[in-house]
Amino acid sequence: AVTVLYPTEEAIYAGTEWSMYRYERGSASWTKVLNFGTKDIIEAGGDIYSLGTNNQLIRHRVTSADTFPADSGWILLPYFNVYDIDTDGEVVYCATFSGLYYYEPTSASYRVVYNLPRVAYEHVFVLDDRILALSKKLIYSLPLEYRD
């Protein structure tokens, strides 16, 4: 069963419980691109990010020469037990058991969002200029400008 779809201009990514696939619009063909179950797929800073069913963030630096053989070019980022991801286009926001963090591609590091409580978040959304973080009991809202 497909758990997530993510369309781009060149392709459509489809995540399943066991793998991730890429449908090439130009050649009308499917390729298996990742041998990890996929809960979510986003794009930030020109790269594709996948949230694995094991709650690990995975990064792929997309280039125009990509042919996407299985597991090629994908980087498992340090394990951080991430429950959900979203992006503002620049960084990847991560809902975790110990607060809201963001992965910064330029420094290749996770940073905590100190202006939100350090509680377990199940979901994160970026809507317009706000971060919405959902815990079991409350929904927290923070303007993007106050992230740091």
Side-chain angles (χ1 to χ4, degrees):
V2 173
T3 55
V4 61
L5 290 172
Y6 184 79
T8 67
E9 280 189 39
E10 300 83 27
I12 299 171
Y13 293 88
T16 71
E17 185 178 345
W18 303 106
S19 302
M20 187 164 74
Y21 299 87
R22 177 181 161 109
Y23 176 78
E24 296 286 341
R25 294 177 190 262
S27 63
S29 62
W30 286 96
T31 305
K32 185 181 205 178
V33 296
L34 191 58
N35 287 322
F36 286 95
T38 305
K39 291 175 22 177
D40 203 355
I41 303 167
I42 61 170
E43 188 173 359
D47 295 339
I48 298 292
Y49 291 85
S50 167
L51 178 59
T53 53
N54 65 347
N55 296 336
Q56 186 167 12
L57 194 57
I58 305 165
R59 178 183 187 183
H60 179 71
R61 293 187 175 174
V62 179
T63 66
S64 60
D66 279 336
T67 56
F68 288 96
D71 294 336
S72 176
W74 293 88
I75 302 164
L76 295 168
L77 297 178
Y79 187 75
F80 203 60
N81 206 17
V82 177
Y83 300 133
D84 191 28
I85 57 175
D86 203 355
T87 183
D88 61 8
E90 295 180 21
V91 301
V92 178
Y93 294 93
C94 303
T96 75
F97 65 95
S98 63
L100 187 70
Y101 288 75
Y102 64 94
Y103 177 77
E104 193 173 49
T106 55
S107 66
S109 62
Y110 290 99
R111 296 177 183 242
V112 68
V113 177
Y114 286 109
N115 289 323
L116 287 173
R118 301 289 300 273
V119 299
Y121 292 106
E122 295 180 349
H123 299 284
V124 61
F125 301 96
V126 178
L127 301 171
D128 298 322
D129 62 346
R130 300 194 80 75
I131 302 167
L132 296 178
L134 286 68
S135 71
K136 286 188 179 192
K137 296 183 179 183
L138 296 170
I139 298 173
Y140 297 91
S141 177
L142 180 71
L144 283 173
E145 63 187 281
Y146 297 117
R147 174 183 74 197
D148 294 317

